[in-house]
Amino acid sequence: MKHILPVLFFCASFLVVSPIYASNFEVEIAHETIDVTVGFTGSTIEIFGDRRDEDTLVAIMVEGPKTDVTIWEKARVFGTWVNRYFVHFDNIPKYYSYSLSGTNNSEKTKRLLAFHGIGNDAMLSNARIEKSGSVEDLELFKKELLKKKVDAGLYTKDGVKMNFINNNFFRVRFDIPASAATGNYIIKSYLIKDDEVIEHNTDMLSVEQVGLNAFINESARKHSFIYAFVCIFLAFFSGWLISVLKVRP
Amino acid sequence: MQIYLPIAEMSVPIEMIFLLGAFVGFISGVFGVGGGFLTTPLLIFMGIPSAVAVGTQGSQLVASGVSGVMGYWRRGHVDFMVGTIMLGGGFFGTLVGVGFFQFIKYLGQIDLIISILYIVLLGSIGCMMLFESVFSAFKKKTMKSEFNRLKSPSLISRLPYKMRFPRSKLYVSALVPGGIGFVSGFLVSTMGVGGGFLLVPAMIYILGMPPLLVAGTSLFQIIFTSAFSTMMHATISNSVDIMLAVFLILGGVIGAQFGVLASKKVTGARARIILALLVLGVCLQLAIQLFLSPSEIFVMVEGQ
């Protein structure tokens, strides 16, 4: 029921709006925020959309907050395994996923998708890279980065399946694992026809800690001295309590 | 039951954290040690980022330190003067340790250096403890009593800034307790261990303190050094997770009660042999990870 309601609202909005508003492409996100509570175990970003023209390609890309990532290759030094060679990827998304309405695309469309950073390889090839001098096989490091992110559920291996309710209406669900970063997620959607982007939208979704979690996180960052004092006081109090309760052998 | 840690920004099974706290509490109840040497590696093993594990562990050390020192304080077994001088060194050691921690994080070698520090520390302490406990189990006389007859080495007696410590009946350079405190502060802030293993023998053999006052004084010093380390980690690197600390301490309170009850059955040299084997076990586990071929050749580090 929870998932059907947004679909019904979305379809109803088209019934009302479509006669006067003749856009080729509409995309709606079911919820604009994801609340990270104490019991958060992951969530989904649910996107509904409509394309007027069946003979088009729809591409949707979700990018989480960005950070720098270093992939280290271990090597033996004096018998111990140490982080030896590195490739540093500047400013890449902590979460990244995408969905395409069709996979059987022409070379020109593939290049267009890559240009817009759609697809794992395309996203990484746009990143600024630094590496230790002796690294030759950059692709190996890229593969490892993707593998680790996919294993953690933060990237998807071959994108997410786009489900069509009929030839025009579609639905995509991107899974957000519990380990996904908080912050703003950018959702870019493209309508492509004859190897050209004919329409595109950008939406924003925020994944944020709420309630007690938000209070703790904000206190730790904005009032770190008071937060530290509270932690220390709590520890002192617990220690004292243990000494009072202690069972004498 | 999964719980989302607000600072570590990850979901963990809360019963595991609670059980870890209870296990370490049990160990500290049986053997009278802080147990930091077990908590930090086990937290890292559970996937908690090492910065958060080390930062949060400091507050647990405060709790176990306070609970331990109360008993010694009531019996008058704390030399506050030596403790305060050690504390001065401890604060300085903490500052250096926090800086060192940030530096190795920047180098990308944090896992290696923390592992090596653990192996050296646990290996040497474990061997010393095993040797001492086996010795006392057979001889009915501890090495402590043998060694205690020795006075401070001559190099130490020649150091400047000498002070009188009436409670411990010592006339020694303030640099000695200060230096011992420095090492403790460094260990707390880089490894999340109180360093009681190292402090106690150092205070007996190097400083020449009466063994009766050593445990209480070292705990007194560890409380404040750990509190300072918590303060530093919370303000500099935002790596103290109060939610994680609460569940660790809660588990620790309950575990400690069972530990104290169990300590009736395991006492003296036999208990110390078990503890020494436990310490050596953790050391061996870390050494295996460092020297054997890792299952993953590539490691990912975010946000540097």
Side-chain angles (χ1 to χ4, degrees), chain A residues 147-189:
Chain A
K147 185 179 166 289
K148 288 193 189 300
K149 285 283 197 180
V150 169
D151 288 349
L154 295 166
Y155 286 12
T156 40
K157 195 164 178 257
D158 302 305
V160 170
K161 194 174 173 241
M162 194 175 286
N163 291 306
F164 276 85
I165 297 156
N166 60 29
N167 287 335
N168 305 94
F169 291 108
F170 61 86
R171 185 171 92 166
V172 195
R173 294 177 73 172
F174 295 97
D175 287 330
I176 303 288
S179 55
T182 53
N184 287 329
Y185 284 58
I186 296 166
I187 299 157
K188 289 181 180 168
S189 33

Side-chain angles (χ1 to χ4, degrees), chain A residues 184-249:
Chain A
N184 287 329
Y185 284 58
I186 296 166
I187 299 157
K188 289 181 180 168
S189 33
Y190 301 85
L191 186 70
I192 298 162
K193 188 169 183 169
D194 300 330
D195 308 320
E196 265 183 57
V197 173
I198 52 171
E199 265 195 53
H200 68 93
N201 292 314
T202 303
D203 292 284
M204 190 91 88
L205 175 136
S206 94
V207 176
E208 55 192 39
Q209 299 201 36
V210 292
L212 179 65
N213 273 17
F215 176 71
I216 293 174
N217 195 289
E218 209 175 293
S219 311
R221 283 172 210 287
K222 291 188 180 160
H223 313 285
S224 54
F225 265 109
I226 300 169
Y227 175 80
F229 269 115
V230 172
C231 290
I232 294 165
F233 172 77
L234 200 78
F236 262 92
F237 177 74
S238 319
W240 169 79
L241 200 68
I242 299 167
S243 78
V244 172
L245 296 176
K246 202 170 254 178
V247 183
R248 300 285 160 211

Side-chain angles (χ1 to χ4, degrees), chain A residues 38 40 68 70 72 74 79-83 144 148-149 178 182 209 213 217 220 227 232 235 238-239 242 245 247, chain B residues 3-4 6 9 11 59 63 67 108-109 112 227 238 240 242-243 257 260 290-292 296-299 301-303:
Chain A
V38 175
F40 184 70
D68 296 351
T70 309
W72 287 93
K74 284 181 183 287
T80 60
W81 286 90
V82 301
N83 293 349
E144 281 300 325
K148 288 193 189 300
K149 285 283 197 180
T182 53
Q209 299 201 36
N213 273 17
N217 195 289
Y227 175 80
I232 294 165
S238 319
I242 299 167
L245 296 176
V247 183
Chain B
I3 190 163
Y4 192 86
E9 295 202 324
S11 208
S59 62
S67 78
Q109 301 295 353
L112 171 78
N238 280 320
V240 181
I242 197 167
M243 192 93 87
Q257 307 299 313
V260 172
L290 198 61
F291 290 102
L292 288 191
E296 288 278 346
I297 293 283
F298 291 90
V299 220
V301 183
E302 271 194 14

